[in-house]
Amino acid sequence: MNLLVTGAAGFIGSALTTALRADGHTVTALDDLSVTSPRPRPDHLIERDVRTLEPGDLDGIHTIVHLAAHKSVPRSFTVGAFERNTAVDRHIIHTFAASGAGRLLLASSCEVYGQQSGQLAESAPHQPRSPYAAGKSATEHLADIYRHRLGPGRQIGVARLFNTYGPWEDGDAVVPAFLDAALADRPLTIEGTGTQARDLNHVDDTVTMLGRILAADRLLPVVNIGSGHATTVLDLAEAIIRTTGRGTITHTAPRPNEIHSFTADMTLFTSIYGMPPGRPLDQALADTARARALLWSPAGELR
């Protein structure tokens, strides 16, 4: 398969690019490098803004996997962040529709669900509570509009990603932040009580699930990518302390407007693509901690 991956220097994008190439696929890796990270970049990375792509650039591409985004929810409240993400998504959808490429898989986020209780199925309403989430919701609506304008055999799908973690993740997310703190003998800082819960999925499992989606003949309009299980932030901190044998817990003020819980309903994914891989959390955290201790310094830089 001939693929284009945008955001290919990102946490998930770099892992997916590497895995697809290892499976024998031809992957054009593209990233504008506007998000800096010491994470290794895929070979033959093209430094380019998605918004400069033209329809002719996509001819001959079987599938585009669009992962490029600035993903920070708190930083999405700054002026221009919403506009940038939505402009990038709007451009790739429009350019794909005008091209000869076959399929477009868009990365969305569990953040579109907002504050809702229980497991979140794809049919649940959008209730975004941040500019980042509102942008992803807008992208999904654009995909719905353009999907009906495509010719026969051409497809647009959406993968709603829940909280993916792993050793190469930048330190602004909760799992690497806790790991870096523990490995540096600093307190693990929890915002609020720690009862807020997240559906945590190791990056290897996320990449496996994306690979199953890409291997199928048909892209679903939207499908969840998660573990189907929720872990509270307090339980996560305690698990990391057990795993590393280090660390204490401290609490600060709650994050404004934070969503209390995300848990993916994986019924649809399972019915089409099989059971999610879902390694046990303690095992996956131990693997991540060992790899991160080897790869990163406590300050979050490459060794």
Side-chain angles (χ1 to χ4, degrees), residues 145-300:
I145 292 167
Y146 274 83
R147 188 176 290 117
H148 300 293
R149 297 168 61 90
L150 300 175
R154 303 186 69 217
Q155 304 171 47
I156 300 179
V158 172
R160 279 190 195 142
L161 297 166
F162 282 67
N163 293 75
T164 301
Y165 69 94
W168 289 114
E169 188 176 15
D170 292 317
D172 57 348
V174 63
V175 173
F178 282 179
L179 284 173
D180 290 347
L183 294 171
D185 291 318
R186 290 185 281 107
L188 282 64
T189 301
I190 294 175
E191 297 174 317
T193 62
T195 57
Q196 61 269 45
R198 297 294 179 261
D199 186 314
L200 300 171
N201 207 37
H202 191 274
V203 65
D204 290 350
D205 294 341
T206 294
V207 166
T208 295
M209 296 164 78
L210 288 170
R212 291 186 199 172
I213 291 171
L214 294 171
D217 292 333
R218 182 172 66 95
L219 295 180
L220 297 179
V222 61
V223 63
N224 285 336
I225 303 293
S227 71
H229 305 285
T231 301
T232 69
V233 173
L234 183 59
D235 285 345
L236 172 64
E238 291 172 346
I240 286 175
I241 290 171
R242 287 196 307 271
T243 295
T244 62
R246 303 153 116 184
T248 58
I249 293 172
T250 187
H251 293 261
T252 60
R255 179 182 298 182
N257 213 38
E258 184 174 24
I259 295 167
H260 187 261
S261 179
F262 287 116
T263 312
D265 184 325
M266 296 305 296
T267 303
L268 178 60
F269 182 95
T270 300
S271 68
I272 304 295
Y273 307 110
M275 286 293 296
R279 278 181 294 165
L281 179 64
D282 280 1
Q283 175 193 330
L285 285 174
D287 293 344
T288 301
R290 280 192 294 270
R292 196 164 180 89
L294 291 172
L295 299 170
W296 296 67
S297 74

